[in-house]
């Protein structure tokens, strides 16, 4: 079975400098897809850029935490979900409707901060995806390496991935055969990619990434990922990365193509 890789950037629409970095990673690097934040401050800029780059595969980065009107932290989000304070379906459906109204037909969904690791959130994600004809849902869980202090979290996510895959399949939706990128978020370089790419399993793998440029908007944004986005952008666009893809015989794809 051939090895196919979707390189998917989260946070499209977060800030204009993040948008610019994502587009650069698509034009000059190995990026094939991105997920759009309907609640992001640079949503309109992202929509414009999507229209200018029709080959870039666009999904929805469903957001339940860290935006105005939503819980500020994962802990408070979890409490709000299980207490019924949040109508998760309505929040997510509203975000998808906004993306559709902007003229974008999304092919895939994932969640900001992986909130759909929570079973009630995953059920809402699947309901929204099925309702709006979005075929692919992310199921995170790193392979095949454990990276430093995040190794334990990665293994827990891998355990949860099996249950997530069942829920996604029962909804008639699809997910990739493998996923990577969580444990090294904010740390990976072109050397890491050169080590990872030959180890990809057969089938379809999603590589999650967070490229960007470091401008004033990102500097002032509420995120820990700032200078690291520039590092990821360098890794994704480095000539050695493209060479590693070709040497490993990997086919770069988007969800639309799949």
């Amino acid at each position: 079975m051939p090895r196919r890789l979707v390189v998917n950037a989260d946070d499209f629409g977060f800030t204009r400098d993040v948008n610019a970095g994502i587009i650069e990673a698509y034009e000059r690097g190995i990026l094939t897809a991105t997920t759009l934040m309907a609640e992001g401050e640079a949503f309109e800029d992202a929509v414009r850029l999507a229209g200018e780059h029709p080959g870039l595969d666009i999904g929805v980065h469903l957001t339940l935490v860290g935006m105005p009107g939503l819980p500020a932290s994962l802990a408070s989000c979890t409490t709000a979900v299980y207490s019924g304070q949040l109508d998760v379906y309505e929040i997510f459906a509203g975000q998808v409707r906004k993306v559709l109204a902007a003229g974008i037909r999304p092919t895939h969904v994932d969640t900001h901060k992986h909130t759909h690791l929570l079973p009630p959130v995953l059920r809402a994600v699947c309901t929204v995806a099925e309702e709006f004809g979005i075929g692919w849902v992310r199921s995170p869980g790193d392979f095949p390496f454990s990276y430093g202090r995040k190794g334990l979290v990665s293994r827990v996510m891998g355990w949860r991935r099996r249950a997530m895959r069942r829920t996604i399949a029962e909804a008639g939706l699809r997910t990739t055969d493998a996923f990577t990128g969580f444990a090294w978020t904010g740390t990976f370089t072109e050397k890491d990619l050169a080590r990872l790419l030959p180890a990809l399993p057969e089938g379809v793998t999603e590589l999650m990434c967070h490229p960007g440029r470091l401008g004033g908007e990102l500097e002032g944004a509420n995120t820990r990922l700032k200078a690291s986005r520039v590092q990821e952008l360098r890794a994704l666009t480095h000539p050695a990365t493209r060479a590693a893809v070709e040497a490993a015989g990997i086919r770069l794809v988007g969800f639309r193509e799949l």
Side-chain angles (χ1 to χ4, degrees), residues 26-46:
Y26 169 67
E27 291 183 324
R28 298 184 49 242
I30 65 169
L31 190 82
T32 60
T34 187
T35 41
L36 175 59
M37 302 179 81
E39 303 305 318
E41 292 186 2
F43 174 78
E44 289 79 9
D45 180 65

Side-chain angles (χ1 to χ4, degrees), residues 183-196:
W184 64 4
T185 296
T187 64
F188 78 81
T189 67
E190 59 272 15
K191 292 181 180 178
D192 292 312
L193 289 180
R195 183 164 70 104
L196 171 73

Side-chain angles (χ1 to χ4, degrees), residues 72-95:
S73 68
L74 285 172
S76 58
C77 176
T78 300
T79 299
V81 167
Y82 282 102
S83 67
Q85 297 173 27
L86 291 177
D87 189 332
V88 180
Y89 165 80
E90 283 299 334
I91 291 170
F92 286 168
Q95 292 175 8

Side-chain angles (χ1 to χ4, degrees), residues 124-135:
V125 169
C126 289
T127 298
V128 168
E130 185 178 14
E131 178 178 339
F132 291 98
I134 303 171

Side-chain angles (χ1 to χ4, degrees), residues 6-8 32-35 57-59 107-110 135-138 174-176 204-207 253-258:
V6 178
V7 184
N8 188 54
T32 60
T34 187
T35 41
D57 204 10
I58 307 290
T107 58
H108 59 293
V109 293
D110 52 46
W136 290 82
V137 177
R138 172 185 289 171
R174 301 177 71 186
T175 192
T176 56
V204 181
T205 299
E206 178 188 355
L207 167 61
V253 296
F255 290 102
R256 184 186 301 112
E257 182 179 353
L258 295 169

Side-chain angles (χ1 to χ4, degrees), residues 234-248:
R234 170 186 165 85
L236 293 167
T237 58
H238 199 282
T241 300
R242 176 69 69 174
V245 168
E246 294 174 355

Side-chain angles (χ1 to χ4, degrees), residues 53-76:
H53 299 84
L56 178 62
D57 204 10
I58 307 290
V60 184
H61 197 49
L62 296 168
T63 304
L64 205 59
V65 63
M67 290 289 175
L70 295 172
S73 68
L74 285 172
S76 58

